[in-house]
Amino acid sequence: MSRRTAGPEIERLIQILAKLPGLGPRSARRAVLHLIKNREKLLSPLALALAEARDKVVVCSVCGNADTVDPCSLCSDPRRDRSVICVVEDVSDLWALERAGAWSGLYHVLGGTLSAIEGVRPEDLAIASLSARAAAPEIREVVLAVNATVEGQTTAHYITDLLKPLPIKLSRLAHGVPVGGELDYLDEGTLTAAIRSRREF
Amino acid sequence: MLLPRSSLHISLSRLTLTDFRNYAGLRMEIGSGHVALVGPNGAGKTNLLEAVSLLVPGRGLRNAAYAEMLRDAAPGGWAVAAEVEALSGEVAIGTAWRPAPSSDGEEAGRQVHVDGIPQKSLASLGEHMRLLWLTPAMDRLFAGPPGDRRRFFDRLVAACDSSHVSHLNAYEKAMRERNLLLSEPGPDPNWLSGLEAGMAEMAAAIAAARLSALENLQANIHIGLSQSAFPWAALTLEGEVEKLLAIMSSVHAESEFRRRLCENRRLDAAAGRTLLGPHRSDLAVVFGPKGMAAAQCSTGEQKALLIGLILAQARTVAAAAGAMPMLLLDEVTAHLDSGRRRALFQTLDTLGVQAWMTGTDEGLFEGLGKAAQFFHVEAGTVSPMTRS
């Protein structure tokens, strides 16, 4: 065990911060020191922001987005196209698409991907609620915007098979040549995917 | 483009070991020439090669557990650091392993640093280093199980195509998921079909990368024919998806393999594993001059064939990566007559590689070029030798 160099309050803060993704014990310690040194400028506003987030942030009961209102501001935005749903793995993916400003329809957050080894089964993901939403008469298209990993694609195939009976268009994000990419530098898998998902001009 | 575009070759200029195998602390300064490690059995010559082999992704040339590499009674973990003339220019590469988190917050497990900056994964080593090895354990490669030949060949493919390893991993992961689902009663057919789609996509990419590496390797074997004292090998890849790719486009091969996986569900469930796919492929090797299966050749012939194959691999990697890889040749001279030994040393000089070789006797390296450096290895110490 390492010797204790700080009071229990500080140690506890370090331990909690070290559990955050991207932070280890060492960087957590640096963050805590920085907070203590900037008590008024950072520590107090952070404590306030955390308390507020704890009290107000909810998960949208429709799409699974994180927001302070339920349904979330995206679901209740009248300017959005309510006939199309974009399915993502996580809230971070939803935010990425929003940053790009590429999508003006609705979203649906699955909350992960299928994994037999990790025991994530279809009933553990927001798949049943997606089926119900997709069956509504106003829906024309469901876009599967999952990661191009094997887990993501497995989940996409699963959902595709499930929604196939519905009279809606099912699509997925294109895989292949990146913007500004040169064919000569692509691996065989990416090139095959690009040929497979080619589209008409 | 089969020959390297430049004379760039990957080499080490300094190697530092800490608590690695029988080395408590070691520092070697090395010129750009070959390295000959001379010393009695059990002195730790192969340990040095193993340390160098940890500078590419993977568990090194013994494929041993990291805990085994830790020096007895060492308090923390082991570390291997090197100054490398690499693909990206001169870099300092360090890799370390520790069984438990250190008191100053360093995580447990294997870490990689490049120029002092911690890297997210082992894979980043592949951006800097290219390395091939030949060990006595590979003497049984041709007569041994297909898995050994497949892994041997996949290492070459990976040295040419940096996405190969991640494709193999993704395929294996989906296959394990499918095997697990098939072992349960009433598996969800939609889920299985999703996994099979992913497996098929990866399988087509894996097989295509293998076939393209094989073609380059075969071309380099023929280039080497005239200038080598080593017999040439005729190579074929035997595998389900590789066979499909020979007669149809990769898009069609992918959907055909997916169809076969779907068809085979019951068989695979009964067997408890996946019976078809690139994880079962084999590299068939024929001793060219005699037209005889390599497994049927004499021990000496097999060794010579293997060396010829490694040299052709080095040329193939050089053409793909733009730099000659390093070679680690463990006890390579032992089975060769003096004529073949000289021929090997000559070829190494022509290729312009930095080869690290081990041997029990200095005489085994007679004829090795003047630029070569000799080190005497004994009981965890390494000292430069003046050549007699």
Side-chain angles (χ1 to χ4, degrees):
Chain A
M1 254 338 271
S2 59
R3 281 166 293 134
R4 171 165 293 174
T5 47
E9 294 81 7
I10 295 178
E11 276 299 329
R12 197 161 53 115
L13 187 55
I14 292 171
Q15 274 170 20
I16 294 172
L17 281 185
K19 286 185 186 151
L20 296 180
L23 287 186
R26 190 182 273 183
S27 35
R29 210 166 301 150
R30 268 176 40 205
V32 167
L33 268 177
H34 190 72
L35 285 171
I36 294 170
K37 278 185 202 155
N38 297 278
R39 195 188 171 91
E40 287 314 310
K41 221 165 72 201
L42 284 173
L43 186 58
S44 309
L46 179 69
L48 218 66
L50 285 174
E52 238 176 341
R54 181 197 55 200
D55 295 341
K56 291 194 181 150
V57 172
V58 285
V59 172
C60 174
S61 56
V62 181
C63 73
N65 187 19
D67 202 343
T68 49
V69 284
D70 182 19
C72 73
S73 44
L74 293 177
C75 282
S76 48
D77 186 345
R79 287 163 303 175
R80 291 207 161 242
D81 184 346
R82 315 196 67 81
S83 65
V84 285
I85 301 176
C86 179
V87 180
V88 294
E89 286 176 23
D90 255 308
V91 175
S92 60
D93 302 324
L94 185 161
W95 289 354
L97 284 163
E98 277 302 289
R99 273 202 306 278
W103 183 247
S104 59
L106 303 175
Y107 288 97
H108 190 86
V109 180
L110 291 173
T113 49
L114 293 176
S115 167
I117 287 168
E118 281 157 41
V120 183
R121 314 196 69 87
E123 57 269 29
D124 299 319
L125 301 176
I127 289 177
S129 56
L130 174 64
S131 300
R133 281 183 82 190
E138 67 269 23
I139 300 297
R140 287 184 294 116
E141 179 176 1
V142 169
V143 182
L144 293 158
V146 290
N147 292 328
T149 56
V150 168
E151 300 89 330
Q153 293 311 304
T154 302
T155 312
H157 278 285
Y158 181 87
I159 293 172
T160 311
D161 283 341
L162 199 70
L163 301 184
K164 221 181 265 165
L166 296 174
I168 55 172
K169 186 176 162 191
L170 289 169
S171 57
R172 63 163 203 180
L173 294 191
H175 297 179
V177 187
V179 174
E182 293 177 45
L183 296 195
D184 195 19
Y185 289 90
L186 292 184
D187 66 86
E188 282 84 354
T190 308
L191 272 175
T192 305
I195 291 282
R196 199 190 319 100
S197 50
R198 68 188 181 275
R199 50 179 276 186
E200 266 177 62
F201 262 116
Chain B
M1 190 74 204
L2 293 164
L3 288 170
R5 273 159 284 206
S6 69
S7 59
L8 178 65
H9 70 271
I10 292 175
S11 59
L12 294 197
S13 58
R14 172 187 278 179
L15 179 67
T16 313
L17 305 187
T18 312
D19 288 332
F20 185 84
R21 296 273 184 189
N22 63 334
Y23 297 96
L26 173 80
R27 161 72 53 92
M28 279 173 82
E29 307 282 351
I30 307 136
S32 64
H34 303 305
V35 173
L37 304 166
V38 182
N41 294 131
K45 304 185 293 292
T46 307
N47 293 349
L48 287 174
L49 298 191
E50 185 184 36
V52 175
S53 72
L54 289 164
L55 299 173
V56 291
R59 289 207 316 240
L61 54 72
R62 283 191 178 110
N63 200 27
Y66 292 138
E68 274 176 40
M69 301 174 195
L70 184 60
R71 190 175 63 94
D72 285 341
W78 53 256
V80 175
E83 306 270 327
V84 187
E85 179 66 42
L87 292 174
S88 45
E90 275 195 36
V91 289
I93 299 178
T95 183
W97 175 87
R98 59 176 61 79
S102 71
S103 55
D104 58 352
E106 295 273 357
E107 284 171 45
R110 176 108 181 255
Q111 315 285 332
V112 173
H113 285 219
V114 174
D115 279 336
I117 299 161
Q119 307 289 302
K120 274 190 205 134
S121 80
L122 280 189
S124 60
L125 289 171
E127 291 162 26
H128 305 280
M129 277 296 276
R130 289 291 184 279
L131 181 56
L132 296 170
W133 61 73
L134 187 59
T135 67
M138 287 155 70
D139 288 351
R140 299 283 302 155
L141 187 73
F142 300 126
D148 288 355
R149 283 185 293 279
R150 190 173 54 247
R151 277 186 289 276
F152 169 79
F153 187 66
D154 276 334
R155 270 206 303 279
L156 166 74
V157 182
C160 300
D161 177 352
S162 52
S163 53
H164 190 59
V165 174
S166 63
H167 290 159
L168 284 170
N169 290 343
Y171 173 83
E172 297 256 337
K173 193 169 177 189
M175 182 172 74
R176 278 199 303 274
E177 292 259 318
R178 179 175 175 271
N179 291 346
L180 188 64
L181 278 186
L182 283 174
S183 71
E184 294 169 1
D188 188 325
N190 282 354
W191 192 344
L192 283 173
S193 129
L195 287 168
E196 284 159 4
M199 283 171 72
E201 191 178 345
M202 290 303 134
I206 290 164
R210 281 180 184 160
L211 286 173
S212 122
L214 183 76
E215 198 179 304
N216 290 335
L217 181 61
Q218 200 77 66
N220 278 303
I221 288 173
H222 285 290
I223 285 178
L225 267 188
S226 52
Q227 53 186 358
S228 174
F230 296 96
W232 56 280
L235 306 171
T236 24
L237 268 169
E238 293 169 351
E240 188 81 10
V241 186
E242 285 87 350
K243 231 181 278 168
L244 290 175
L245 275 179
I247 51 170
M248 57 178 83
S249 75
S250 55
V251 178
H252 289 114
E254 184 183 320
S255 45
E256 174 59 21
F257 179 56
R258 190 180 169 193
R259 194 187 61 74
R260 290 186 189 178
L261 280 173
C262 178
E263 218 173 64
N264 260 31
R265 279 178 197 171
R266 196 170 307 164
L267 279 173
D268 288 349
R273 63 204 168 96
T274 305
L275 297 166
L276 293 177
H279 63 290
R280 307 261 303 183
S281 299
D282 191 5
L283 180 72
V285 184
V286 167
F287 188 87
K290 287 189 182 171
M292 186 195 269
Q296 257 100 63
C297 293
S298 79
T299 317
E301 282 173 331
Q302 290 192 28
K303 187 80 181 186
L305 195 61
L306 203 51
I307 294 174
L309 205 50
I310 290 282
L311 295 172
Q313 280 200 348
R315 289 191 195 93
T316 308
V317 173
M324 238 339 136
M326 276 181 69
L327 293 182
L328 306 178
L329 306 172
D330 194 13
E331 300 288 348
V332 76
T333 51
H335 292 291
L336 299 181
D337 55 45
S338 61
R340 278 230 169 103
R341 275 210 294 273
R342 278 174 193 282
L344 171 65
F345 297 151
Q346 248 168 31
T347 315
L348 292 177
D349 282 341
T350 319
L351 285 177
V353 295
Q354 185 184 52
W356 287 51
M357 288 171 280
T358 63
T360 46
D361 181 27
E362 196 186 344
L364 289 168
F365 296 106
E366 208 189 304
L368 188 57
K370 287 213 166 51
Q373 309 142 81
F374 282 67
F375 292 92
H376 184 73
V377 183
E378 187 144 24
T381 61
V382 177
S383 42
M385 286 164 74
T386 40
R387 291 173 70 180
S388 45

